[in-house]
Amino acid sequence: MDWRQRPRCDEAPAWPLLQAHFARRFEGPGAFDLRRAFAQDAGRAAAFSLDAGPVFADLSKNLIDVEVRRLLTQLAHECGVAAYRDAMLLGERINTSEDRAVTHVHWRWAFNPAPAPVHQAQQAIVIIANVVPEAAATQSAMLDFAEKLRADAAITDVVNIGIGGSDLGPRMVVQALRAGGHASGPRLHFVANMDGHELAALLPSLRAQSTLFIVASKTFGTAETVRNATSARDWFHAQGGGDMARHFVAVSANAEAAAAFGAGRCFAFDEGVGGRYSLWSPVGLAIAIAAGRAGFAALLAGAREMDAHFAGAPLTSNLPVQLALLDLWNRNFHGFASRCVAPYHHGLRRLPAYLQQLEMESNGKGVDLRGRALPIASAPVTWGEAGTNGQHAFFQMLHQGCDVVPVEFVLVRRAAHNLPGHHDKLLANALAQARALMLGHAGDAPERHFTGNRPSTTLLLPDLSPRSLGALLALYEHRTFVLGALWGINSFDQWGVELGKQHAEEIRRALECGLEDPRLDPSTRALAERLRTSKRD
Ligand code: F6P
């Protein structure tokens, strides 16, 4: 099957129907209003809420009605979303620009073939688990390694060196599990930035004899990671570290480069695992060290619950599908150019950063799978900050600014601390913000007036356990996949990050050698020259 021939959302029959419905119900006088919608339909909250594994989602405070949902779901059917999903789960080479399968889901199922297939796609997961035959053995070895390390009193510190997907996922999950009381073991540190200030600030707190470095890089060629790993290795030798093989491990799809670097062992994975989808693979080694075998297994189990829901639930009650359709509605019909993610849990404060890569690197594309320029907008800007901090920074703009920004509130029912008087207030603040955005306020002066009718979605987790977190992250992955499928783009390549890397290499040479490179534009050449000469002064 040539998946490039699937209809793009704007070519599907439901598209003009949605346009007509939008013009009729969502524009001009008497346009849709959330307050009126709730007043007219006592069942609206329940009608627009969905459960998927441990995740409960309330979509009712969005600018949608029953007809929007019906037409959007029809659109998903017409775009062949279900068949495309099954193709991904079956291991077909849907990453067409790189001619690869997309295998991150299979790493979640490697140990755990589904017991009784209830849906063709779930069956597909069982069959296709064999497409990455090494996954079960590698994961098992990685978990053994993590357990031994947790028991090894001689190792007090672990440093994960990686960037992008080799940093954001593991860093965010470890932070979340720590806050949820599900992490223990050696101290874990993360170093990502090319900026040496990050590594330089950490090294003085470490002792070579008691530190393990994980070099996490799918390609093992990323400039930042190679630079940081090389500096860490130099530091290790300068400290008389000695046994490099014991103190450096790699996780990579390029085992040869890892061996050439001198890593003692490499937990290898296949090229079908995209960087931003890789925390379930050996890139999750730092997570396994923090959470242990049982914690990592629970993370995978939570994600599998979401996989099973995604594979088996009808599109109309399929949470990743419905969230993706809502994203499309907000972006392509309402024209909202960004979406704000506000996790009301300190442990999830890096969730927006993780989602920025997942969503914008996956779907920030301007051409479709056939190479045609997209006539509609794709990924909006994803941004956000933990609540309640964000309330004292940018919520002013969300309530009264000229742009409407849909907000996604992520709430966690149970706190892992026992400080009285915090958690209920935190949750109340999240609900209050969503309510205020919707209701607005007729102020007695223009500057006190809130228009209201501003959309938001609320996601609810019972706790910040590995299971809940696994389900939440798999939900975001599948939602991103569906949105890319609707836009007809390849969510699994990232050619857009290559050009800057090439320029950086040319400019570095100019900076170091003072080459008057005639290929540099006058502005860049002048700035490079200024930097070079001021460095010398
Ligand atoms: O430059 C972007 C990118 O390729 C991301 O997609 C990836 O997560 C990151 O760099 C790191 O790549 P690697 O794991 O190969 O070092």
Side-chain angles (χ1 to χ4, degrees):
M1 171 84 186
D2 185 355
W3 295 105
R4 284 171 292 207
Q5 304 310 321
R6 267 181 331 105
R8 207 174 53 201
C9 57
D10 57 303
E11 300 165 336
W15 188 264
L17 303 179
L18 281 158
Q19 284 177 318
H21 185 66
F22 184 82
R24 208 169 40 242
R25 291 279 289 117
F26 291 86
E27 283 181 322
F32 178 91
D33 188 286
L34 276 168
R35 293 154 287 205
R36 204 171 51 238
F38 275 99
Q40 288 172 352
D41 178 5
R44 180 177 169 88
F48 287 99
S49 292
L50 286 171
D51 276 295
V55 184
F56 174 79
D58 178 359
L59 284 63
S60 67
K61 292 198 202 73
N62 282 286
L63 307 179
I64 49 172
D65 62 14
V66 172
E67 182 64 357
V68 170
R69 181 173 55 195
R70 190 185 72 74
L71 289 172
L72 284 172
T73 307
Q74 181 186 326
L75 185 81
H77 281 291
E78 289 168 357
C79 291
V81 164
Y84 194 50
R85 168 202 64 197
D86 291 356
M88 173 178 72
L89 300 178
L90 277 159
E92 287 190 31
R93 301 171 95 79
I94 61 162
N95 177 353
T96 45
S97 71
E98 297 176 319
D99 191 24
R100 287 176 190 162
V102 169
T103 58
H104 59 277
V105 175
H106 305 297
W107 281 85
R108 311 203 266 255
W109 289 81
F111 287 144
N112 293 277
V118 290
H119 180 272
Q120 188 257 334
Q122 281 193 31
Q123 192 175 10
I125 293 173
V126 181
I127 298 163
I128 222 59
N130 300 326
V131 156
V132 196
E134 66 281 12
T138 305
Q139 230 167 32
S140 166
M142 174 190 102
L143 290 174
D144 286 347
F145 180 85
E147 281 297 327
K148 277 204 194 102
L149 197 88
R150 285 164 59 80
D152 184 348
I155 298 293
T156 56
D157 292 84
V158 175
V159 184
N160 187 87
I161 297 178
I163 196 165
S166 300
D167 168 77
L168 290 163
R171 192 194 288 247
M172 181 267 298
V173 171
V174 166
Q175 207 171 59
L177 295 182
R178 251 187 217 144
H182 296 277
S184 54
R187 284 185 291 270
L188 263 161
H189 315 273
F190 291 85
V191 173
N193 205 327
M194 170 75 84
D195 183 346
H197 290 103
E198 191 176 15
L199 181 62
L202 175 65
L203 290 177
S205 68
L206 304 175
R207 287 189 315 119
Q209 310 300 341
S210 57
T211 301
L212 174 84
F213 291 95
I214 303 170
V215 185
S217 175
K218 177 177 166 182
T219 55
F220 222 88
T222 302
E224 290 87 342
T225 302
V226 171
R227 182 64 264 159
N228 278 322
T230 305
S231 295
R233 186 178 62 186
D234 292 347
W235 170 88
F236 180 77
H237 288 313
Q239 300 291 308
D243 186 0
M244 166 138 182
R246 174 168 150 73
H247 290 270
F248 283 79
V249 293
V251 294
S252 183
N254 185 353
E256 277 171 29
F261 173 79
R265 62 187 297 183
C266 176
F267 298 100
F269 56 96
D270 59 298
E271 299 234 297
V273 179
R276 52 199 174 272
Y277 300 86
S278 64
L279 66 93
W280 323 98
S281 77
V283 171
L285 176 57
I287 301 171
I289 291 171
R293 186 192 303 277
F296 194 78
L299 185 81
L300 298 181
R304 283 199 305 275
E305 275 183 74
M306 191 56 69
D307 295 338
H309 167 84
F310 179 48
L315 298 193
T316 188
S317 56
N318 195 308
L319 186 55
V321 173
Q322 289 301 319
L323 285 173
L325 289 168
L326 175 63
D327 290 338
L328 178 135
W329 174 249
N330 281 340
R331 183 73 180 112
N332 298 129
F333 291 86
H334 287 290
F336 302 147
S338 81
R339 80 184 197 92
C340 174
V341 178
Y344 274 65
H345 196 297
H346 187 63
L348 291 176
R349 62 195 179 281
R350 294 284 297 177
L351 182 68
Y354 160 82
L355 290 177
Q356 281 179 334
Q357 189 200 16
L358 179 66
E359 298 183 358
M360 295 200 278
E361 200 173 79
S362 295
N363 289 338
K365 315 275 164 73
V367 292
D368 70 9
L369 286 162
R370 287 193 243 169
R372 299 173 300 176
L374 277 185
I376 52 172
S378 60
V381 175
T382 304
W383 61 285
E385 169 66 70
T388 57
N389 297 10
Q391 290 176 206
H392 299 276
F394 53 77
F395 269 59
Q396 162 63 40
M397 177 266 198
L398 297 179
H399 287 287
Q400 290 186 309
C402 298
D403 292 296
V404 175
V405 181
V407 186
E408 188 155 297
F409 295 93
V410 183
L411 276 60
V412 179
R413 179 66 205 101
R414 277 193 294 281
H417 64 79
N418 52 17
L419 293 176
H422 281 259
H423 205 61
D424 280 349
K425 277 195 183 137
L426 177 75
L427 298 177
N429 265 278
L431 297 187
Q433 291 300 326
R435 187 156 183 263
L437 285 165
M438 171 173 74
L439 294 183
H441 177 67
D444 50 11
E447 65 276 11
R448 289 168 205 253
H449 185 73
F450 294 68
T451 55
N453 201 32
R454 299 205 165 196
S456 69
T457 301
T458 302
L459 302 182
L460 223 59
L461 301 180
D463 50 28
L464 203 49
S465 62
R467 173 197 169 217
S468 300
L469 192 58
L472 179 73
L473 301 182
L475 168 64
Y476 279 120
E477 286 183 351
H478 293 322
R479 169 190 189 165
T480 303
F481 166 82
V482 173
L483 198 45
L486 293 163
W487 281 328
I489 59 186
N490 184 353
S491 301
F492 299 102
D493 61 13
Q494 57 283 320
W495 299 103
V497 297
E498 294 306 319
L499 187 60
K501 292 182 191 172
Q502 290 163 19
H503 282 297
E505 192 42 37
E506 271 177 39
I507 295 169
R508 185 191 60 79
R509 281 199 298 270
L511 271 179
E512 279 181 8
C513 320
L515 296 176
E516 279 280 324
D517 192 332
R519 287 171 305 176
L520 290 183
D521 62 273
S523 162
T524 309
R525 203 178 332 142
L527 286 167
E529 191 52 19
R530 186 172 274 260
L531 284 170
R532 195 179 67 79
T533 50
S534 57
K535 209 164 72 174
R536 213 177 32 204
D537 293 343

